[in-house]
Amino acid sequence: MAASQPFKTAGLLKGLMAKYYEQGNLARERGVPVAWVTAVSPVELVYAAGLFPYYPENFGALAAARKVADKISMAAETRGFFSDLCGYARCGLGDAYAQEHPVGKIVRPDLLFCCNTQCGSLQKWFETAGRLYKAPYFLLDAPLIENASTELVKRYFVEQLEEAINFFEVATGSPFNFDRLAEVLDLANEACRLWNEILDMAAMKPAPFGFFDACFHMAPIVTWRGTKEAVMYYQELKNELEDRLSKKIYAVPDERFKIYWDHIPVWPKLRWFSDLFAEHGALVAVSQYTHSWAYQFDLDRPLESLAENYSEVFSNRDFEDRIQLKINFMKKYQIDGFALFSNRSCKPTAFGLYDKRKIISDRTGLPGIVFEGDMSDLRYFSDEQVRNRFKIFFEQLT
Amino acid sequence: MTDHKTIKELCAQFTRIINEPNLEIQRVHAEKPAPIIGFLPTDVPEELIHASGAYPYGLVSYEGMWVNRADAHLQTWACSLARCSFGMALAGKFDYLSGLIIPHICDTTRMISGIWKQTRPYDFMENFVLPRQVDRPSARSYLIGELGRLKARLESFMGRSIADEELQRSISLYNKNRTMLRKLYQFHVRRPDLISNLDVFNAIKSAMLIPKELHNVMVSELLRVVEQQTHERNTDDAARGVRVLVTGKVWEPPAIMEILDESGGVCVADDLSTGYRYIANDVTENGNPLEALADHQLKRPPSPCFVNRGQDRLEYLVDKVKASGARGVIFLHLKFCETENYDYPLLRDALFDANIPNVRVESEIGNVSHGQISTRIQAFMEMLGGEEIYGS
Ligand code: SF4
Ligand code: SF4
């Protein structure tokens, strides 16, 4: 089982994340403005501008993983926010009002930079936070891409990146440094390359690494992308995985099945799920989610290339494209079945899954299920119901 | 008194259209066949559809009984507007449509378009992929391009090109409709005894269900009679009732306006998609029509779906209350409407900070307790100043 063989790099990760949070807390004292950013947004620009990028989604995921998301969320709910909003947003807003901070205090933004390529929830959450903290807010808007991207969308995105650069220049009071951007993009390329090589190891049978491990190790690719730290971390992790391979240490020792998972993990249930799958000799090998960070930037055309990478991620693709992307992963990782998570917090990834399940099964012949729950809030998760859904699923795996 | 009856009769026409929303459009279609292209409310450039020769048709009259039809395809925690529209489509209620345009205004509309296309497609299925920020230059250039894309798609579907002059004519026709409806709205504000809340909102909603040519005739006739009456009558006793501002997406269930009428509330301003937002501003009639349509969209009143740092909704609402003389605000929200649900707490606080009483009424198409809504609204009206309602 994944958790029974702790990774050596886990310690490194802990240190790295502690450093990240410390930087966040100290940024303002050092005269570095704190920019709230979204997970799938061109943070490369933010690093290049010399701002400190803070990820409130990470805060939400951390609260969820520590099983206190519902508690922090309540602080927002008593202020009138609704329990049907994204759980991350409820945590982020809740912590601003809360008296207690079980996972530390969310860092106040000096400015907010949101890309809605993932969802409109972030657009609203950041707008709300902008009002709450009275901080300037920039929305990098990503129109949904149908089939293929168009010149129109690319031009719009590039124009907005230029507007964003202006926005950052106002915040920092200094001109944007494109040489610095090239360095950051280079480092981001390197980290993304390593990260994806690591993810690909899950295609081996048996594999040393799976989706639940990826969920654990993904924090740096989100937060430290564009820095040396991320490159160093994934180099270490890759070395460790190669070492494990030579020692025949596998994620699921008696791996029989590979599973595709869509999309986010159920953070407070990471262990629960990884045990559930392991009991059946199944490795959750891949998810679109962890593959979101697979950027490759062209240093000769930085803005265009940022535009392409961030507007064309799966979460900004239409129904048919998303099906095709999932099927491609299933082929590449030789998947035996798939589980689609109807995540109450996340309408953009959940809506459409009922039909997609059927279509994917029809096209691939693979068994698949949709299960209901919430990525962070255990009030919307029933162990028993989910276990029963999966019982049927495991019976279908052959 | 005969004139008074005439107003009611004229208003009853709108009610009929809403109650049987497919009758009139199908009659028109039988007389002069052309494709009917539906749209979800309401940030859609109807003028383009009109100029292409098709009939624009708003999916804005809901039959709550079909909400659950959508359950096999769409989670029950999607808003009931999406569930109901789609459920009605699955039940075959919109089979007379040749096309559907879905404006991308939130995650729900963004996602439902793919499901709809997959499950119950019409010949022409298009998204109108709006910019979600409206006050930076990039929004304008992108939107002009997106309008151009939609125009080209309509042209290819209709097998004809849309000349600028044709589009200008459609724009004028729509402007006329908006101008008259705004006038009617102002009459309603001054003389709610003649034009009730329900009357004016029915007039606006019905404009999306029949061709504007016909609607213009109906509204201008109504305006003429109303004008007469306001001249004839002494207006001293007219402006009774408690002035309120209504904010939200759609006024569902429609009974809500009757309840407001009965409890002595007068909606003097609103930002509803099927209300004032639909008629708030006109499209410039000279110059490039696509640019004019883009500007029109960008300058619509603030909505929770679009980021507008130039005019934040918080201040907009407070200003609007003051300008309209509303004494309170009713938040009219659909359950699970994410965009509104994010905005609500801070809007509420901003209003309270400005000493503006407000109340939130939550409804769900196909699942509402009229009694509960009624109690809530009545209590709010009484709090705002019941004596005026029943007083001299
Ligand atoms: S979980 Fe979904 S809704 Fe929430 S921030 Fe992430 S993408 Fe957006
Ligand atoms: S804006 Fe609200 S009511 Fe309208 S479709 Fe989206 S969620 Fe539903």
Side-chain angles (χ1 to χ4, degrees):
Chain A
M1 273 181 282
S4 60
Q5 296 268 4
F7 280 82
K8 278 186 286 184
T9 38
L12 196 59
L13 179 80
K14 222 173 142 192
L16 204 54
M17 291 318 289
K19 186 170 154 196
Y20 170 76
Y21 287 117
E22 188 187 278
Q23 283 195 357
N25 290 326
L26 295 179
R28 202 167 286 111
E29 280 170 38
R30 296 184 178 143
V32 179
V34 173
W36 271 26
V37 294
T38 51
V40 184
S41 70
V43 69
E44 292 78 8
L45 284 186
V46 179
Y47 270 122
L51 299 155
F52 180 77
Y54 182 78
Y55 289 85
E57 283 161 88
N58 239 49
F59 180 86
L62 191 67
R66 302 244 180 102
K67 302 186 175 53
V68 289
D70 41 359
K71 196 170 165 223
I72 303 179
S73 171
M74 279 307 288
E77 288 169 43
T78 51
R79 297 294 294 238
F81 289 97
F82 296 83
S83 62
D84 58 291
L85 302 178
C86 167
Y88 291 164
R90 277 183 280 125
C91 277
L93 292 165
D95 194 70
Y97 295 116
Q99 301 298 325
E100 289 167 48
H101 307 278
V103 289
K105 217 168 172 205
I106 195 159
V107 176
R108 181 168 59 81
D110 294 304
L111 62 155
L112 305 101
F113 179 61
C114 165
C115 182
N116 61 7
T117 199
Q118 274 166 274
C119 68
S121 227
L122 284 164
Q123 170 183 330
K124 291 307 297 178
W125 170 16
F126 274 46
E127 184 179 37
T128 307
R131 287 170 178 155
L132 188 66
Y133 296 108
K134 302 201 176 7
Y137 170 39
F138 187 98
L139 173 71
L140 177 61
D141 180 32
L144 186 87
I145 289 173
E146 303 166 83
N147 308 316
S149 188
T150 59
E151 270 312 305
L152 177 66
V153 170
K154 278 186 210 169
R155 244 189 295 128
Y156 178 40
F157 216 85
V158 170
E159 215 179 315
Q160 291 185 85
L161 292 175
E162 284 161 355
E163 290 169 336
I165 286 173
N166 277 333
F167 177 72
F168 297 145
E169 285 175 334
V170 171
T172 57
S174 48
F176 189 78
N177 183 342
F178 277 90
D179 294 334
R180 175 87 187 95
L181 177 63
E183 288 165 25
V184 172
L185 290 177
D186 202 23
L187 290 166
N189 278 346
E190 188 57 14
C192 285
R193 189 182 59 75
L194 287 164
W195 173 241
N196 283 277
E197 284 172 9
I198 291 167
L199 291 178
D200 278 350
M201 288 186 176
M204 298 174 177
K205 199 160 183 176
F209 187 85
F211 169 67
F212 296 115
D213 302 304
C215 291
F216 180 77
H217 291 282
M218 67 182 268
I221 195 66
V222 181
T223 50
W224 285 100
R225 182 174 77 258
T227 68
K228 290 197 189 72
E229 281 84 350
V231 176
M232 174 277 296
Y233 181 74
Y234 290 112
Q235 193 57 62
E236 284 297 316
L237 179 58
K238 202 176 161 214
N239 293 344
E240 181 171 9
L241 284 168
E242 272 155 8
D243 182 51
R244 284 184 163 222
L245 270 179
S246 67
K247 292 180 182 146
K248 298 194 183 334
I249 303 173
Y250 302 113
V252 173
D254 49 350
E255 182 192 315
R256 288 191 295 145
F257 306 112
K258 282 198 194 296
I259 308 299
Y260 173 87
W261 173 288
D262 201 83
H263 147 260
I264 301 183
V266 183
W267 291 111
K269 290 276 168 190
L270 219 46
R271 179 64 183 271
W272 188 89
F273 270 109
S274 103
D275 289 350
L276 177 72
F277 282 97
E279 270 167 34
H280 293 85
L283 173 74
V284 178
V286 56
S287 157
Q288 262 172 358
Y289 175 60
T290 39
H291 277 78
S292 301
W293 294 273
Y295 312 118
Q296 279 308 308
F297 303 108
D298 179 351
L299 270 52
D300 292 332
R301 23 191 298 283
L303 296 189
E304 288 77 5
S305 153
L306 280 165
E308 287 156 10
N309 273 280
Y310 285 102
S311 65
E312 293 170 26
V313 290
F314 83 87
S315 55
N316 198 37
R317 307 303 283 262
D318 78 352
F319 190 88
E320 177 58 35
D321 282 2
R322 289 198 201 192
I323 290 179
Q324 209 42 59
L325 284 164
K326 292 185 217 296
I327 292 179
N328 292 348
F329 279 127
M330 291 179 199
K331 286 199 180 125
K332 179 171 173 192
Y333 287 79
Q334 300 194 7
I335 291 300
D336 301 292
F338 61 91
L340 309 179
F341 174 19
S342 169
N343 180 358
R344 205 173 178 282
S345 268
C346 190
K347 295 183 171 77
T349 51
F351 291 173
L353 288 182
Y354 299 166
D355 287 300
K356 284 173 187 157
R357 188 208 58 78
K358 191 173 172 305
I359 295 168
I360 296 172
S361 282
D362 287 350
R363 290 193 198 164
T364 61
L366 295 174
I369 53 160
V370 179
F371 71 97
E372 306 289 331
D374 188 276
M375 68 189 179
S376 63
D377 199 324
L378 289 175
R379 288 174 293 175
Y380 304 109
F381 192 91
S382 151
D383 281 20
E384 200 191 321
Q385 243 174 45
V386 175
R387 200 180 276 281
N388 286 339
R389 295 285 292 140
F390 274 94
K391 193 164 173 261
I392 303 166
F393 174 67
F394 288 125
E395 283 163 11
Q396 289 173 348
L397 291 179
T398 43
Chain B
M1 283 324 272
T2 42
D3 271 340
H4 185 71
K5 237 177 158 182
T6 316
I7 291 183
K8 285 300 153 205
E9 269 168 23
L10 289 169
C11 288
Q13 291 182 298
F14 300 130
T15 318
R16 268 200 301 279
I17 294 168
I18 291 169
N19 288 346
E20 303 232 40
N22 54 329
L23 276 193
E24 190 60 12
I25 192 75
Q26 282 180 309
R27 188 190 63 75
V28 172
H29 180 264
E31 241 169 52
K32 189 169 167 252
I36 305 170
I37 295 183
F39 61 89
L40 292 190
T42 53
D43 291 69
V44 167
E46 266 179 79
E47 291 89 337
L48 268 183
I49 309 176
H50 182 268
S52 78
Y55 294 118
Y57 180 80
L59 273 53
V60 290
S61 189
Y62 307 96
E63 293 172 40
M65 61 197 287
W66 302 113
V67 163
N68 296 334
R69 262 293 174 107
D71 290 0
H73 306 275
L74 189 61
Q75 282 83 341
T76 49
W77 31 274
C79 75
S80 52
L81 190 154
R83 290 173 68 215
C84 188
S85 310
F86 183 49
M88 285 171 71
L90 291 174
K93 294 280 150 184
F94 299 127
D95 282 356
Y96 50 90
L97 295 182
S98 296
L100 179 66
I101 298 178
I102 298 182
H104 282 196
I105 55 169
C106 64
D107 284 341
T108 304
T109 45
R110 210 164 91 119
M111 300 319 294
I112 202 177
S113 58
I115 305 172
W116 205 314
K117 200 166 171 176
Q118 171 68 34
T119 322
R120 194 80 179 192
Y122 308 108
D123 293 340
F124 181 79
M125 295 293 288
E126 277 298 320
N127 297 321
F128 182 41
V129 192
L130 288 149
R132 306 282 296 282
Q133 50 94 12
V134 295
D135 60 345
R136 297 199 311 262
S138 57
R140 185 173 189 267
S141 37
Y142 167 71
L143 182 52
I144 294 167
E146 172 63 5
L147 284 161
R149 186 195 66 81
L150 191 64
K151 176 169 172 270
R153 297 287 300 135
L154 278 161
E155 287 174 330
S156 101
F157 176 66
M158 297 296 288
R160 61 186 291 265
S161 63
I162 302 171
D164 274 4
E165 303 77 62
E166 289 174 299
L167 188 49
Q168 307 271 22
R169 272 201 295 281
S170 302
I171 288 173
S172 306
L173 178 78
Y174 273 70
N175 278 348
K176 194 170 170 211
N177 188 254
R178 286 183 282 249
T179 309
M180 287 196 296
L181 285 171
R182 285 198 299 270
K183 212 164 165 193
L184 186 69
Y185 201 103
Q186 288 320 314
F187 270 122
H188 150 74
V189 169
R190 266 183 282 131
R191 295 297 306 269
D193 54 326
L194 295 180
I195 301 287
S196 67
N197 297 301
L198 186 65
D199 291 336
V200 71
F201 280 95
N202 272 343
I204 297 172
K205 193 196 271 184
S206 59
M208 304 171 203
L209 299 167
I210 64 167
K212 289 286 185 291
E213 290 86 345
L214 293 178
H215 200 261
N216 279 352
V217 175
M218 292 163 77
V219 185
S220 76
E221 207 181 337
L222 176 60
L223 278 178
R224 193 178 47 76
V225 180
V226 174
E227 246 163 274
Q228 247 172 25
Q229 289 239 348
T230 28
H231 282 306
E232 282 166 15
R233 277 211 204 169
N234 185 337
T235 53
D236 275 1
D237 61 339
R240 286 205 220 141
V242 180
R243 298 162 76 90
V244 289
L245 181 147
V246 179
T247 174
K249 277 277 137 46
V250 289
W251 47 285
E252 293 296 328
I256 217 134
M257 287 301 164
E258 288 172 74
I259 293 171
L260 197 59
D261 281 326
E262 281 157 18
S263 39
V266 182
C267 175
V268 292
D270 76 276
D271 64 358
L272 301 165
S273 294
T274 49
Y276 200 76
R277 185 177 164 78
Y278 185 68
I279 57 170
N281 57 334
D282 286 334
V283 184
T284 313
E285 291 196 23
N286 40 33
N288 178 310
L290 286 189
E291 288 178 15
L293 285 173
D295 289 331
H296 170 249
Q297 173 61 35
L298 297 173
K299 290 192 180 115
R300 283 180 193 255
S303 128
C305 300
F306 306 99
V307 175
N308 188 345
R309 299 308 290 164
Q311 186 177 36
D312 196 77
R313 199 171 177 223
L314 240 60
E315 287 112 49
Y316 172 80
L317 273 188
V318 173
D319 291 349
K320 201 77 194 163
V321 169
K322 292 187 177 143
S324 65
R327 295 174 58 178
V329 170
I330 297 175
F331 289 94
L332 188 51
H333 286 172
L334 285 180
K335 194 168 184 198
F336 300 124
C337 173
E338 198 172 66
T339 58
E340 291 290 2
N341 281 356
Y342 272 105
D343 273 7
Y344 169 67
L346 296 191
L347 285 183
R348 174 203 59 199
D349 294 350
L351 291 176
F352 280 135
D353 287 346
N355 288 318
I356 301 164
N358 60 82
V359 68
R360 181 173 180 273
V361 175
E362 185 177 86
S363 78
E364 204 178 3
I365 299 170
N367 179 27
V368 271
S369 150
H370 291 194
Q372 251 174 39
I373 294 181
S374 178
T375 313
R376 238 176 133 66
I377 290 187
Q378 260 163 23
F380 186 59
M381 290 303 140
E382 274 161 34
M383 192 203 91
L384 288 183
E387 75 282 358
E388 271 192 51
I389 314 172
Y390 305 108
S392 55

